Amino acid sequence: MTISSARKHAGPGPATDLPPVPEPTFAERTRTLVYLGRTASLSTLSRKQSGFPFGSVMPYGLDDRGRPIFLISTMAMHTQNLQSDPHASLLVTQQDSEDEPLGASRVTLLGNVLPVPKAELTDARKLYLQRHANSKYWVDFEDFSFYRMDVVDMYYVGGFGVMGWVSASDYDRSQPDPLADSMAEIIQHMNADHKDALVMLARTFAHMDSTEATMTAVDRLGFHVRLKTPEGMRGARIAFSTEVNNQGETRKVLVEMVQHARSQIK
């Protein structure tokens, strides 16, 4: 996987002379966000009111290239819209985001939503049911069919001031972050049991003093914290001392970083 510095507009944090902290690319973050999601907002082009977008709540599965798979009924308005014009967008938002929703990550995928080819239906069915087991009760109804979005472009927003386009080819070559399935547990554990350690890590590695620190995101290269400082709420990213690939490695690196931070206290 590649590493990039995020493109940013002016953000809420203070300017510093510190070098950029390595982060996953927008393509990797998009792939991770879509992987973690289960339900999104699908916008199709209305047949009734030409040119107007028509929004629908849409559960989805994913194939091995990260393309969304839908199980939809011919009676649904969005299906009728797609049969008339396959152009659509899918908005996937960060799950369980707290506080300010505009600070959460989200991505809009643009593409053509078409029926899954007959030769690929078995795989599509299996992948979809892995995510939505209850669909087994209606998956074989005659009016339901599998559709798939062939993504042509996407726009990623990583919170305040972090945004940019992601090409379909970059997305296709990326994989979900190795911590994707455990990041929620890591964040919950750190915020519940190690808030003092987060304050210490922010002081040592981000050079920011705070009275309270909350981990808001984590990936193989590092993590984000939201800090309560005398100047107000601030955000910071802290790099891991070494890249991690699973929950056990993450715990080991965090323990080592906390030990280092404590050794710096005079």
Side-chain angles (χ1 to χ4, degrees):
M1 295 184 183
T2 56
I3 302 172
S4 74
S5 296
R7 290 162 281 178
K8 297 184 179 181
H9 294 173
T16 72
D17 295 326
L18 297 175
V21 179
E23 298 192 53
T25 64
F26 282 179
E28 291 175 278
R29 283 185 263 181
T30 292
R31 189 68 180 265
T32 300
L33 185 57
V34 175
Y35 168 80
L36 290 173
R38 293 294 184 271
T39 302
S41 298
L42 179 73
S43 292
T44 55
L45 294 174
S46 175
R47 293 174 61 197
K48 185 174 187 293
Q49 298 292 341
S50 179
F52 284 85
F54 183 91
S56 305
V57 174
M58 184 58 59
Y60 68 92
L62 284 179
D63 68 8
D64 57 1
R65 291 173 52 190
R67 294 178 296 183
I69 299 169
F70 312 117
L71 176 62
I72 50 181
S73 168
T74 54
M75 294 187 292
M77 188 57 63
H78 47 251
T79 307
Q80 297 174 32
N81 291 341
L82 290 170
Q83 290 172 341
S84 176
D85 188 329
H87 293 99
S89 69
L90 188 72
L91 172 64
V92 181
T93 58
Q94 179 181 343
Q95 302 296 304
D96 303 321
S97 58
E98 299 180 356
D99 300 327
E100 176 54 64
L102 293 180
S105 299
R106 61 266 195 195
V107 63
T108 300
L109 286 72
L110 307 174
N112 295 294
V113 179
L114 299 164
V116 174
K118 187 174 182 179
E120 301 174 36
L121 281 174
T122 299
D123 287 342
R125 175 193 172 100
K126 178 181 178 181
L127 291 169
Y128 188 89
L129 289 177
Q130 283 176 350
R131 287 187 165 223
H132 303 284
N134 285 343
S135 297
K136 65 184 179 182
Y137 296 113
W138 57 84
V139 65
D140 294 320
F141 287 3
E142 289 185 359
D143 61 301
F144 276 86
S145 301
F146 284 104
Y147 281 65
R148 182 176 61 205
M149 174 179 275
D150 291 319
V151 181
V152 299
D153 211 348
M154 59 209 74
Y155 192 72
Y156 173 80
V157 179
F160 293 110
V162 180
M163 59 197 72
W165 287 96
V166 174
S167 71
S169 58
D170 285 345
Y171 176 80
D172 192 47
R173 288 193 297 266
S174 298
Q175 294 295 325
D177 191 89
L179 299 186
D181 291 321
S182 58
M183 60 177 56
E185 184 176 346
I186 293 170
I187 292 171
Q188 191 279 330
H189 172 68
M190 292 300 296
N191 290 335
D193 300 333
H194 301 291
K195 294 186 77 69
D196 290 343
L198 290 172
V199 170
M200 194 183 311
L201 290 171
R203 181 185 304 120
T204 302
F205 295 101
H207 305 286
M208 295 178 68
D209 288 322
S210 62
T211 57
E212 184 177 325
T214 303
M215 182 182 286
T216 58
V218 63
D219 55 70
R220 75 187 200 284
L221 300 175
F223 59 97
H224 288 267
V225 287
R226 184 173 61 248
L227 306 171
K228 183 182 291 186
T229 76
E231 294 77 30
M233 299 302 294
R234 295 288 185 267
R237 177 169 173 82
I238 299 171
F240 286 138
S241 54
T242 185
E243 185 173 330
V244 300
N245 290 291
N246 55 55
Q247 192 169 359
E249 291 180 5
T250 305
R251 183 183 300 109
K252 181 175 183 292
V253 167
L254 282 169
V255 168
E256 291 172 351
M257 291 175 67
V258 170
Q259 290 173 343
H260 174 77
R262 285 177 177 153
S263 72
Q264 302 303 301
I265 299 175
K266 297 180 181 180

